[in-house]
Amino acid sequence: MREEVQTNPHDLDEETLFVVSQTFKALGDPTRIRILNLLCCKEYSVNDIAEELNLGQSTVSHQLRFLKNLRLVKFRREGTTLYYSSADDHIMNLLHQAIDHAKH
Amino acid sequence: MREEVQTNPHDLDEETLFVVSQTFKALGDPTRIRILNLLCCKEYSVNDIAEELNLGQSTVSHQLRFLKNLRLVKFRREGTTLYYSSADDHIMNLLHQAIDHAKH
DNA sequence: ACGTTATATGATAATATATTCATATATACA
DNA sequence: TGTATATATGAATATATTATCATATAACGT
C-alpha cells in the first residue's frame, strides 16, 4: 500500500508541482532567459553565446548544464566545439508568450 | 542623449528581461504555484488558503504580497476578511499550460 | 474603549542560487 | 607526445529566497 499524501482535490500532486516549479525556475533568471531567447532560432557554441551576451564562459557553461538537465537545450559536437540549441518547443513557446506579454 | 545599452539585436532589453524573469520567478516556487492554482476558479480568504494548502498564515500572507506586487492576484475586503483571487488571466493561462504539459 | 478575529509586517535563520576563479578534461593537430 | 583550443567542473563567495516566530495593525461587535 502506498502513501496518499494528496488529500485536497484543489491541490496539485507533488511530482507535477516539482516539474512545473523547476521549469519556471529555469525561466526565472535573466541570464537563462537571454540564453534561451538567443537559442530560439539557431544553434550557438558556448563561446559564441558568451560573446553575444557578454557573459563569462564558465557562467554560460554552468547555466547550459542547468538547462540541459531540464532538457530545455541539447547540443551536438563538432570537433572541440559544442553547438547548443533549444530542445523544448513547448517551453520556448511559453517563454515567447511571456516576452510578448511583457512588451505589451 | 540617452545611453544605448542594448547593442545586440538578438538580446532582450533590460526592462523586458526584468519583467519576464520576475514573472517566471513568481511561478517558480511550489508554494506560489499551489496558491495561484487554488485561486484559479474562485476567491479565498487568507486563512482558507492556509487551511486548504496546509500552510502557515504568515507564509500565505507573505506570498500573497509577492503575488500582489506583480499584480498576479487582487483582493476585496469584507469586514476583517480579505478575499484574494487571480488577477492576470494571461499568466494563469501560462501556468495551466505548464501544468498540463507536466502531467503529459 | 476593550476584546476578538483576520491579516500584515519585521527580524531571523536556514537554504538555495549565481557568478567567479582556478583547474580539469577532451578533441584536434603538428 | 606535446600544444592549443573549447568546454566542463569544483570550490568559494556573495546574494537572494523561504519559512517561521513574534508582534503589529485593522475592522468589528459589545
Side-chain angles (χ1 to χ4, degrees):
Chain A
M1 29 204 107
R2 64 198 198 76
E3 284 293 335
E4 190 46 85
V5 175
Q6 203 53 62
T7 157
N8 188 327
H10 301 107
D11 203 1
L12 298 163
D13 65 280
E14 222 179 305
E15 163 108 16
T16 301
L17 206 52
F18 181 75
V19 173
V20 173
S21 64
Q22 279 298 111
T23 303
F24 280 127
K25 213 166 278 185
L27 303 178
D29 174 75
T31 300
R32 287 192 291 269
I33 292 176
R34 294 172 73 208
I35 293 175
L36 284 174
N37 183 60
L38 185 67
L39 296 183
C40 159
C41 306
K42 74 178 227 247
E43 60 180 15
Y44 284 84
S45 74
V46 176
N47 276 335
D48 285 349
I49 295 171
E51 272 199 24
E52 290 280 331
L53 304 182
N54 230 301
L55 296 167
Q57 177 270 323
S58 183
T59 298
V60 174
S61 185
H62 278 298
Q63 297 294 12
L64 284 172
R65 177 166 59 171
F66 185 110
L67 295 171
K68 185 159 52 72
N69 286 340
L70 289 173
R71 299 174 198 279
L72 298 184
V73 301
K74 59 184 192 293
F75 66 88
R76 125 191 119 76
R77 179 182 286 279
E78 197 168 296
T80 62
T81 302
L82 302 187
Y83 290 98
Y84 279 85
S85 55
S86 64
D88 188 326
D89 289 348
H90 188 266
I91 301 303
M92 287 302 278
N93 186 27
L94 285 188
L95 175 59
H96 290 123
Q97 284 181 54
I99 291 173
D100 289 348
H101 187 236
K103 285 179 175 169
H104 305 147
Chain B
M1 28 204 106
R2 63 198 197 79
E3 285 292 334
E4 189 46 83
V5 174
Q6 203 54 61
T7 157
N8 188 327
H10 302 105
D11 203 0
L12 298 163
D13 65 282
E14 221 179 307
E15 164 108 15
T16 301
L17 206 52
F18 181 75
V19 173
V20 173
S21 63
Q22 279 299 109
T23 303
F24 281 127
K25 210 166 280 184
L27 303 179
D29 173 74
T31 301
R32 286 190 292 266
I33 292 176
R34 294 174 72 208
I35 293 175
L36 284 174
N37 183 60
L38 185 68
L39 296 183
C40 158
C41 305
K42 72 178 228 250
E43 62 180 12
Y44 283 84
S45 74
V46 177
N47 276 336
D48 286 349
I49 295 171
E51 272 200 24
E52 290 280 330
L53 303 182
N54 229 301
L55 296 167
Q57 176 270 324
S58 182
T59 298
V60 173
S61 185
H62 277 300
Q63 297 295 12
L64 285 172
R65 178 167 58 172
F66 186 111
L67 295 171
K68 184 159 52 74
N69 286 340
L70 289 173
R71 297 174 199 277
L72 298 184
V73 301
K74 60 184 191 297
F75 66 88
R76 130 190 116 75
R77 177 183 288 279
E78 196 168 297
T80 63
T81 302
L82 302 186
Y83 290 99
Y84 279 84
S85 55
S86 64
D88 188 325
D89 290 347
H90 188 266
I91 300 302
M92 288 301 278
N93 187 28
L94 285 188
L95 174 59
H96 291 123
Q97 284 181 53
I99 291 173
D100 290 347
H101 186 237
K103 285 181 176 169
H104 304 147

